[in-house]
Amino acid sequence: MNSWLTVLLPKDEYKQQRLYQFLAESAVLAVFYFAVMIAASLIWTLDTSLTLLGGLGIVLFYALARYVLSGMEYTEVFTKSDYKKQLKKIIVQTVGFGVLYFVVYSLLSGLPANGTEWLEIGGFFSILLLMYFGIHFMSLRRSYSKNRQALD
Amino acid sequence: MKNNVKLARLSANITQTDLARKTGITRQTISLIEKGSYNPSLQLCIALAKELGKTLDELFWEVDDQ
């Protein structure tokens, strides 16, 4: 398929086709969302930034969720040993991501000044890392399951 | 779509990983093609046929058993 989007997508044609599908579906959802919002704006006063962010959120969240649940991220994970190796990689990546994020955050905003700030930042980081790990873990589980099924 | 990719690959003694690397796709895609869960493009069919030393007919043409 010839599209400027191809440059941004993986070379594998199955992955490409599925990603085109997810992006097209999310675009249709966004059109519906904006149509409803335009109609709603005739009745109520809507916050423009929030409404636009909502549309962007739908597109990104839908495409990401479909991608994660499709099980096509980890295409080479076929055995229990591959699975365990990849899981270890994800754990290391999560820790690395946390450290990098904390360093960048500290450089930009400075270190927390007191216990309350540490607690706030700790909570925020915990949620962030849990989400990062959760998304990758779910993707790995789905990929492994899909790959095993394709072998049966 | 039913096909003979798996049989041809096994008789050519090529692993899924090797075939995937040679045709520029992932092992998962090879696996899905072999299982008939994904219909490859004509371009990919030709690449697979070349790598496996078979014709498109031999790999993908379905003959009904009478």
Side-chain angles (χ1 to χ4, degrees):
Chain A
M1 198 179 291
N2 288 324
S3 160
W4 58 266
L5 259 182
T6 312
V7 184
L8 307 170
L9 299 179
K11 284 209 168 99
D12 180 76
E13 73 166 46
Y14 171 73
K15 266 191 169 187
Q16 251 186 36
Q17 284 187 18
R18 296 282 284 166
L19 284 169
Y20 280 131
Q21 181 196 337
F22 301 155
L23 291 170
E25 286 172 359
S26 64
V28 170
L29 279 181
V31 168
F32 276 118
Y33 169 81
F34 283 118
V36 169
M37 287 300 128
I38 288 168
S41 71
L42 298 175
I43 307 166
W44 300 291
T45 310
L46 300 176
D47 185 304
T48 314
S49 318
L50 210 64
T51 310
L52 290 174
L53 268 178
L56 186 66
I58 284 176
V59 170
L60 293 180
F61 180 78
Y62 182 85
L64 177 70
R66 290 282 275 142
Y67 181 73
V68 167
L69 295 175
S70 71
M72 56 183 198
E73 172 72 26
Y74 301 98
T75 53
E76 309 298 320
V77 178
F78 281 78
T79 63
K80 194 81 190 164
S81 131
D82 293 338
Y83 175 82
K84 284 181 179 168
K85 213 181 285 176
Q86 196 57 52
L87 187 59
K88 276 182 195 160
K89 265 190 199 171
I90 291 174
I91 292 170
V92 171
Q93 276 172 5
T94 306
V95 173
F97 172 72
V99 170
L100 189 72
Y101 200 96
F102 184 75
V103 169
V104 173
Y105 182 89
S106 303
L107 286 174
L108 294 176
S109 310
L111 283 171
N114 52 47
T116 316
E117 277 188 24
W118 273 108
L119 210 66
E120 279 175 6
I121 289 168
F124 172 71
F125 271 96
S126 303
I127 292 170
L128 195 71
L129 292 185
L130 206 68
M131 275 178 63
Y132 184 93
F133 178 77
I135 288 170
H136 286 85
F137 179 69
M138 173 77 82
S139 186
L140 177 63
R141 292 284 306 170
R142 299 288 293 196
S143 299
Y144 181 53
S145 160
K146 183 176 185 161
N147 292 342
R148 296 294 304 168
Q149 276 172 17
L151 280 184
D152 293 338
Chain B
M1 176 177 73
K2 279 203 286 184
N3 60 69
N4 297 315
V5 173
K6 187 173 185 176
L7 283 174
R9 180 178 61 75
L10 291 175
S11 67
N13 209 16
I14 300 174
T15 63
Q16 282 186 335
T17 308
D18 284 342
L19 186 57
R21 190 169 36 80
K22 286 173 180 169
T23 48
I25 56 174
T26 64
R27 185 182 168 191
Q28 185 183 64
T29 303
I30 292 286
S31 197
L32 291 168
I33 292 169
E34 286 183 354
K35 212 185 172 203
S37 304
Y38 173 62
N39 293 335
S41 67
L42 182 57
Q43 201 177 4
L44 182 53
C45 289
I46 292 170
L48 288 168
K50 278 182 180 170
E51 284 303 329
L52 295 170
K54 299 280 182 189
T55 63
L56 286 177
D57 272 10
E58 285 169 328
L59 285 185
F60 298 104
W61 193 253
E62 200 176 331
V63 179
D64 292 329
D65 294 327
Q66 294 297 320

